[in-house]
Each structure stands twice: as C-alpha cells, then as structure tokens.
Amino acid sequence: MNVSLDKQYLPSERYKRHAAYLAVLAVVIIGLCSYFKFEPLLFISDFHYMADLVVEMTPPNFEVLWRKEKIFASILQTLSMAFLGTLAGGAVAMGLAFLAARNTTPHPAVGAVIRTLLAIERVIPSLVILLLFLIAVGLGPFAGMLSLAVGTIGMFGKLFANAIEGAEKEPIDAVHSVGASKLQVIRYAVIPQVLPSFIANLFYAFDINLRAAIGLGVFGGAGVGYEISMAMRLVRYRDALALICFTILLVFAVEKLSDWLRSRALGQDLLK
Amino acid sequence: MGANTARLLSFQILARMIDVRQITKSTKEGVPILKGISFTVTKGEFVGILGPSGAGKTLTMRCLNGLTRPTSGEVLFTDHEHNLVNLTHARGRELRKARRQIGVIFQGFNLVKRLSAIDNVMIGQLGRINLLRSLVYGFTDDEARQALAVLEHLNVAHLAHRPVGSLSGGEQQRVAIARAIYQQPAVMLADEPIANLDPTNARKIMQILTPLAKEMPIIGVFHQPDLVMEFCTRIIALKEGVVVRDGDSKMTRSELVDLYGAELSEIEASQRILQPA
C-alpha cells in the first residue's frame, strides 16, 4: 500500500506546532508581567495582608444595616439605578432594533446607519460613559442610571435586531395579505413573535446592570457601592463585610427572581 | 357602442372577479417559471388548480394577491364596490385596499403562534380599522364578538383563547379560514389549504370551503385530485408554467397521468398510507 500522509498531519509535527504555540504564549505572559511589574509571587509572599484584612472584617457588623437609615435608601438607590437604566435602555434599544432590522427598517440606509451606531456604542466602556454623564448631570444616581441605559442600548440593540430578523416570515405574509400597513404588520405579526425574547433579555440585562450599578456607584457617589467604598476608606471593615454580604444576598435573590420571570416569559405564560 | 352592449360588457367584467391575463414570471437569472397564464374566475366558482411539483401553482397564487409581482401580464380584480383594480400595477395604499378584499388561506396556516385564536381571527380586519386605534388600543368588544361568531360557525369557538401554537393542524387551519372569512373578502385564495392535514381533516376543510364558494369565488391550489374532483366546480391544470387544461371538475385517469407523470403514483401511494383504516 502506497499511501503517504502529508507532513503537516503527522502527529509528531502536530506536537511540535502545539509546543511552539505554548512557547509563544509563555513568552508573551512573562514579557507582559515583567514589563508591567505584575508579580504573581507577591500574592503568596504578601498573602498575610489578605489574611489580616479577613480577620479585621470578621465578624461582619450587621447592625449597620438597620442602625444607619441611609443604607436601605442606598440599596434602593442601586436597585432603582439598575431598574430604570434597564427600562430606559431597553425601550430605546427596542425602537432602534426595529429601525436596524433588515425586515422592518424603513430604508436599508437607515438600517445600516443604526447598526453602525450600535456597534460603535458597544465598544465604549461603561466607565467612560459614566464619566461623561458625571460631567453632564453631576455626581449621583442619575448619572449611573444614564450610563447603564446607554450600555443597555449598545448591548441589546443588536440582539433585539437579530431577534426581529429571525421572526417567522409566514405570519408576516399573512398579515400583509389582509391589507395591513407596515406598522400594523410590526404590531401584530412581529412584536408578538419577538416580545418574549425581548422581555427575557431585559431580565438578563437587569441582572448585569444591578452588578454594574454597584460598581458604578463607587465612582458616581451613589448607591450601596458608594457605601461599601466609604466603609473601606474609613477602615470600618466589619461594616463593609456586612454590606458586601447583604449585597451578595440581594444580587442572588434578584437573579433567582429574574431567572424565574425569564423562564415564564419564554414559556409564554407571562404573555398569554 | 350601444347602451345595451355597454351594459352587457360591464356585466361581464363585473361577473369576472379575477381576470388573469397572460402573466409570466422569471427568476432573477431569467429562467421562466410562469409562461403566460390566463384564466378568469366568476362568482360562485370553486376552482381547483392542480399540477405536479414546480408547475408554478403557488407562484400563480402569490401573483393573484400581489405578494409577488409578475414579470409581465396583468391580474385584474373586481372589488365589492365593483371597481376594477389592476393588481399588477397597484402599489402602496391601492394595493392594501385591494388586499383587504382578497382572503388568503395558506398551506402552513401562517398564524401568529403566540397570539390566541380570536386575536388571529381579528387580524383579518386590520386593513379596515383605523391605523392609530389598531396600534394603540387594538380591537373593540364588538369585533371580538363577531370574530367569536365566525369561530363558532367553524366549531372552534371553545379554542378562542388558546394560543394557536398549541392547537392541532386541523384546528389551526379552521382558525386561518375564520381569519379569511372575518376579513369579508370578495374572493378567497387557498394555497394548498389541506396539504398539511390528515384525510379526515382535509375532507372537513373542503366541506367548510364548498358552501363558502357560493358567497365568494374560491381559487385553491391542491395536491389531492380526488378531493378536487369531489368538491370543486372547475379544474385548472398547470404544467411547467402553462395552463394545460381549464374545464369542468372531472378528469380521467389518463388526463391525470399526462399531468403528473410519475408523480401520480407517489400522490396515490401517500393518500393510501394516510387513509384511515
């Protein structure tokens, strides 16, 4: 039998290739660590600082949750930032998605422009957007809410447009065939098809935005994120741990609730 | 032209609900699919269009309600107000106005699966109700009662509030027919309305369509020659984009063999398999 295997498919060649990839990756990692002074060993040699911090943080001072009235207001503020940011961003994202989707756009050029704007908007980090809004509307939860809304538009505008483009064509044909206008076709043939996925995605967006709202609060001077950062700066580590524990519980509970609502939305129960 | 002749001519035009004149349709690459289809359909007719796969039956139907524009030729339609509309040239508002009066029953039912049966039926009236009201408010209680009456007529009123995605094929097709009836069309087009149904349901749907044809002409594309011969009043046979037969509803076996070729045995075999024991 005279069958020859191409050199590139020989197992020994494949091993050499993989070894070369790993060597390049190792060089890149070592180069970056040494140039930017990332010292993984510090994590081991200075671990006692972390251990000290844990000792100082325990036991968590849960009294802070009811002793300081401001805490509940700040938790509510974080939830509101995430909720309103998701709602406002989601509403704008839906509107833009209908303009961007190829099967509902009023003109292909409009669709192309909106899709490009969404792509540009997606690559701007939310912290940069927050800094812009801090200048525009000042410190506080409103700047956080606005930056979450803008982030939601970028994140879900394209996703919604894809969902619209994936809508079944047959019901759209049928609604056209009764003499309905384009807007009526969108209202009665497209929206019922895509709404459950929109709602499910918005719950998902709320999950993400809630976590982001805690982080943005540190910089925006609002919400529970700001309270945690203040507790850390004032060396009230036990207060900080209580707040962190409560925040984790809150995020977990909200995630479970939104998971449940999302599955109901996808299962149509919520809509029919 | 004398007054009597003019009256006679207008009468003939009015009696022709659909007048298809030499329509052709080619692919983007220029391959002809429809090669000059002509026929007229008048009140009271239940026309069955038969033909092998790829004969151009569905494309002809799409040209009849303006979902596809023919390459050449004309489709003329007489509406409720006795206006003659050229569907080939109609655009925008004029086309939408004409479509309101052309009911369509699709092979795949084409219902909005997440909406309830009654909501799907009410969609039939979208072309007639105020745009703003339809977008913001939706349908009125009276419209819902009328839609329910149509569902009642088709024995599916008990399914009115179920999402149509959860209904069987036969039930979905009844909802689709209810939508077309509720639309109050002047003419009904049915594109393979029984193709996805078992023989019992297929027969029931034909029994629903037959009396309807007395009120509005029905033009249907079918794959079941036996049911077409039993229920339709006229058969138009298409082959390779050409009308090869236009006449009464009786076709001999040799005519069917000529029309379908080898496909006839497949059709007969599938019908034998589907026949209830």
Side-chain angles (χ1 to χ4, degrees), chain A residues 168-171 173-181 183-184 187-189 192-193 196 265-268 271-272, chain B residues 62 65 96 99-100 102 104 106 110-115 119 123-124 126-127 131 134-135 138-139 179 183:
Chain A
E168 282 182 19
K169 194 177 170 293
E170 291 77 15
D173 264 359
V175 179
H176 265 305
S177 80
V178 304
S181 69
L183 283 175
Q184 286 174 321
R187 162 78 173 78
Y188 287 93
Q193 290 192 59
L266 285 174
Q268 302 177 31
L271 297 164
K272 262 316 3 157
Chain B
R62 288 183 71 87
N65 82 333
R96 287 207 303 275
R99 277 180 177 164
R100 283 175 211 161
I102 304 173
V104 185
F106 297 88
N110 291 23
L111 297 165
V112 186
K113 291 195 183 77
R114 286 181 186 270
L115 292 182
D119 282 338
I123 280 175
L126 271 185
L131 175 68
S134 73
L135 296 178
F139 300 100
R179 176 179 63 193
Q183 193 183 332

Side-chain angles (χ1 to χ4, degrees), chain B residues 23 31 33 50 59 71 77 88 150 176 184 190 232 252 261:
Chain B
I23 57 168
V31 180
I33 302 170
L50 291 177
L59 194 58
T71 310
F77 161 67
T88 327
V150 181
Q184 298 172 351
C232 292
T252 62

Side-chain angles (χ1 to χ4, degrees), chain A residues 122-145:
Chain A
R122 256 196 319 280
V123 297
I124 306 173
S126 51
L127 200 57
V128 174
I129 298 170
L130 176 73
L131 292 175
L132 293 176
F133 280 123
L134 283 179
I135 296 164
V137 298
L139 269 178
F142 188 49
M145 177 241 155

Side-chain angles (χ1 to χ4, degrees), chain B:
Chain B
M1 185 164 51
N4 276 345
T5 317
R7 207 164 47 236
L8 188 64
L9 269 178
S10 74
F11 172 77
Q12 282 176 341
I13 289 169
L14 291 181
R16 289 176 195 162
M17 300 298 295
I18 289 271
D19 193 351
V20 181
R21 295 180 179 175
Q22 286 295 320
I23 57 168
T24 68
K25 180 74 185 173
S26 303
T27 62
K28 279 177 192 163
E29 296 77 31
V31 180
I33 302 170
L34 302 182
K35 301 166 187 168
I37 305 270
S38 293
F39 59 85
T40 60
V41 177
T42 55
K43 274 189 176 170
E45 284 194 295
F46 184 1
V47 179
I49 300 181
L50 291 177
S53 304
K57 305 183 295 290
T58 295
L59 194 58
T60 305
M61 294 297 273
R62 288 183 71 87
C63 290
L64 292 192
N65 82 333
L67 281 175
T68 297
R69 213 169 279 283
T71 310
S72 69
E74 286 179 328
V75 177
L76 302 175
F77 161 67
T78 311
D79 68 11
H80 277 313
E81 292 84 36
H82 307 305
N83 299 313
L84 200 63
V85 184
N86 189 333
L87 285 172
T88 327
H89 299 137
R91 295 261 193 295
R93 190 168 294 187
E94 194 190 1
L95 180 62
R96 287 207 303 275
K97 196 177 163 206
R99 277 180 177 164
R100 283 175 211 161
Q101 301 198 25
I102 304 173
V104 185
I105 303 166
F106 297 88
Q107 176 185 0
F109 324 130
N110 291 23
L111 297 165
V112 186
K113 291 195 183 77
R114 286 181 186 270
L115 292 182
S116 64
I118 195 164
D119 282 338
N120 269 285
V121 174
M122 288 190 286
I123 280 175
Q125 280 284 339
L126 271 185
R128 295 175 196 273
I129 65 176
N130 177 275
L131 175 68
L132 192 64
R133 196 250 285 179
S134 73
L135 296 178
V136 178
Y137 180 80
F139 300 100
T140 62
D141 293 350
D142 270 348
E143 284 162 350
R145 284 189 201 103
Q146 288 160 13
L148 190 67
V150 181
L151 286 170
E152 178 88 58
H153 176 69
L154 298 175
N155 294 324
V156 280
H158 59 291
L159 306 170
H161 303 292
R162 290 252 306 269
V164 290
S166 68
L167 306 183
S168 72
E171 289 165 344
Q172 288 195 39
Q173 195 55 296
R174 281 159 197 257
V175 174
I177 293 172
R179 176 179 63 193
I181 294 174
Y182 187 63
Q183 193 183 332
Q184 298 172 351
V187 59
M188 184 90 87
L189 307 177
D191 182 13
E192 303 198 29
I194 54 176
N196 287 341
L197 304 179
D198 60 80
T200 313
N201 267 311
R203 177 168 290 277
K204 282 182 183 165
I205 294 298
M206 292 302 271
Q207 283 164 347
I208 290 169
L209 293 178
T210 306
L212 269 182
K214 292 191 172 66
E215 295 166 39
M216 62 191 94
I218 299 178
I219 307 168
V221 166
F222 297 97
H223 258 301
Q224 297 83 349
D226 53 338
L227 287 177
V228 169
M229 285 194 264
E230 186 180 341
F231 289 99
C232 292
T233 58
R234 176 178 157 200
I235 294 176
I236 294 175
L238 293 188
K239 193 173 183 180
E240 292 171 5
V242 178
V243 175
V244 291
R245 178 196 189 276
D246 186 353
D248 63 16
S249 60
K250 299 289 167 253
M251 281 180 83
T252 62
R253 182 158 172 84
S254 67
E255 279 182 303
L256 287 173
V257 171
D258 279 349
L259 179 64
Y260 285 102
E263 208 178 303
L264 184 63
S265 55
E266 284 171 33
I267 292 170
E268 287 173 340
S270 69
Q271 279 171 358
R272 264 198 304 278
I273 291 165
L274 288 168
Q275 282 304 332

